[in-house]
Amino acid sequence: MELTSLDAVLYGSTFLVPGCVFYSALAVAIPKREQTPELSLLRFFTVSCVNHAVWSWLIYLILATQLPVHHPFISGFLWFGIVMVSPLAGGIACGLLAQKDVLSRGLRLVGITAIHPIPTSW
């Protein structure tokens, strides 16, 4: 199977867009320091892989039942949910949890001190 430029765009967007959406939603709640483009791409890819792992059961069902062939509208709707809505909801949820300091309090219970996510003014 030969990889076309359209395939490359689809694979790239599938494995980078969810991470970008997640971090964009998270940045609304928690300001972040500027990062190098390489580190940003790596973070986007990592979050996208976690997102796909969470939704792997649905991705399997979409592909195994040939849903894109028989019901392209439903398939597109599900892919939109996986690639856009799920990371958006996850980024908002993580931002709210960070603002409420939930993770840091949980880590302190087990004796771990977390670094505060908001950058200093220097």
Side-chain angles (χ1 to χ4, degrees):
M1 183 173 143
E2 190 173 320
L3 186 68
T4 66
S5 58
L6 179 62
D7 291 334
V9 169
L10 289 174
Y11 288 132
S13 63
T14 300
F15 283 100
L16 292 177
V17 170
C20 182
V21 170
F22 177 87
Y23 276 107
S24 296
L26 186 64
V28 171
I30 303 172
K32 295 282 185 184
R33 291 186 181 104
E34 288 294 319
Q35 300 172 346
T36 63
E38 294 84 11
L39 184 59
S40 293
L41 285 175
L42 182 61
R43 286 182 185 221
F44 295 165
F45 180 73
T46 303
V47 169
S48 297
C49 287
V50 170
N51 182 57
H52 288 324
V54 168
W55 291 106
S56 62
W57 62 273
L58 182 58
I59 294 170
Y60 174 78
L61 288 176
I62 291 171
L63 298 176
T65 60
Q66 295 186 350
L67 198 63
V69 174
H70 302 298
H71 302 286
F73 182 75
I74 294 171
S75 173
F77 182 74
L78 291 173
W79 275 112
F80 180 77
I82 293 169
V83 173
M84 298 295 285
V85 177
S86 172
L88 179 65
I92 291 170
C94 286
L96 291 174
L97 289 174
Q99 283 183 344
K100 303 286 185 196
D101 212 28
V102 173
L103 183 61
S104 294
R105 281 188 271 151
L107 289 173
R108 277 193 298 270
L109 287 174
V110 294
I112 300 172
T113 304
I115 298 172
H116 201 275
I118 298 177
T120 63
S121 61
W122 312 117

